[in-house]
Amino acid sequence: MAGITSVSVTYPLDIVRTRLSIQTASFAALTKSPNLPGQKSAPQGLREKPGMWSVMKNMYKTEGGVGALYRGIVPTVAGVAPYVGLNFMIYESVRTYFTPEGERDPSNIGKLGAGAISGAVAQTCTYPLDVLRRRFQINTMSGMGYQYTSIFDAVRRITAQEGLKGLYKGISPNLLKVAPSMAASWLSFEMTRDFILGLNPDVAEVDHF
């Protein structure tokens, strides 16, 4: 529930970030490419780099109000619970595997490894929902080629036009980001927990059982 709440509150910033990354790249191509003979230069308004507030304001005015800022949130929310659940379940399993016999905890390297594996597996299992999220975030942008009417329509058209691999486009760089990120997060969590428990030996003793 906490994950769903945080995603819902910050989602407009996520969709604006996606739009900015695409529009900034388009802006760079527009300003660097020379005009062809007889071609008019781009209007001054198109030569100005987009900003966060201008993108958000334009989406609100031209794409349907508040709903435009939450386009794609359904697959996002649908992926939060399974991602978090898988992350915790796999981490605990791999953590046990990396714990030496007779020891209560694995080494820091073991914790890093368990975190990386759990994050990578959970991300791989839920990645199609992430693809859907990003596709819907740019669904109404001109020139993107994505015009889906629903989640089921998006899945059907992606698999028909791009095959199943279309639901996993971009997963390699994503895993390169997620694996070390989750490894560091789990190690930080474990170290912080152990530090806090160390401040109260009685609680630490209870936690051992």
Side-chain angles (χ1 to χ4, degrees):
M1 191 65 187
I4 293 175
T5 301
S6 64
V7 166
S8 300
V9 171
T10 61
Y11 191 78
L13 296 177
D14 186 64
I15 192 171
V16 168
R17 179 191 63 174
T18 300
R19 292 293 187 94
L20 279 174
S21 65
I22 295 174
Q23 292 181 12
T24 301
S26 301
F27 171 83
L30 177 67
T31 54
K32 289 181 180 179
S33 59
N35 294 325
L36 298 176
Q39 182 182 29
K40 294 182 179 180
S41 60
Q44 182 64 29
L46 294 179
R47 292 181 177 274
E48 298 177 359
K49 287 186 178 181
M52 181 181 73
W53 297 112
S54 62
V55 170
M56 190 176 293
K57 182 179 179 181
N58 183 64
M59 288 181 64
Y60 180 85
K61 285 186 173 182
T62 63
E63 299 183 27
V66 176
L69 300 176
Y70 283 89
R71 186 174 290 112
I73 194 172
V74 174
T76 303
V77 170
V80 169
Y83 174 80
V84 174
L86 284 170
N87 203 344
F88 273 88
M89 181 186 72
I90 295 169
Y91 178 77
E92 289 299 329
S93 300
V94 178
R95 184 183 188 278
T96 301
Y97 180 79
F98 283 162
T99 301
E101 187 175 352
E103 297 290 333
R104 187 175 67 91
D105 296 317
S107 64
N108 287 340
I109 297 299
K111 294 173 184 176
L112 285 171
I117 292 173
S118 66
V121 174
Q123 182 64 45
T124 301
C125 292
T126 59
Y127 191 75
L129 293 170
D130 194 59
V131 170
L132 291 175
R133 171 177 66 92
R134 298 201 179 278
R135 292 289 181 95
F136 274 101
Q137 286 180 342
I138 60 175
N139 196 39
T140 56
M141 293 182 69
S142 60
M144 291 294 103
Y146 306 132
Q147 296 295 323
Y148 307 124
T149 58
S150 66
I151 293 177
F152 296 107
D153 177 60
V155 173
R156 180 182 61 81
R157 292 173 63 179
I158 291 173
T159 53
Q161 298 172 6
E162 307 171 40
L164 287 176
K165 65 180 182 181
L167 295 173
Y168 285 90
K169 278 189 173 180
I171 192 171
S172 295
N174 196 268
L175 289 178
L176 291 176
K177 179 193 74 172
V178 169
S181 173
M182 290 310 305
S185 295
W186 276 112
L187 178 61
S188 300
F189 166 76
E190 293 260 16
M191 294 179 67
T192 303
R193 184 197 62 183
D194 291 344
F195 173 76
I196 294 175
L197 290 176
L199 298 177
N200 192 333
D202 294 334
V203 176
E205 283 298 324
V206 173
D207 183 65
H208 286 176
F209 293 98

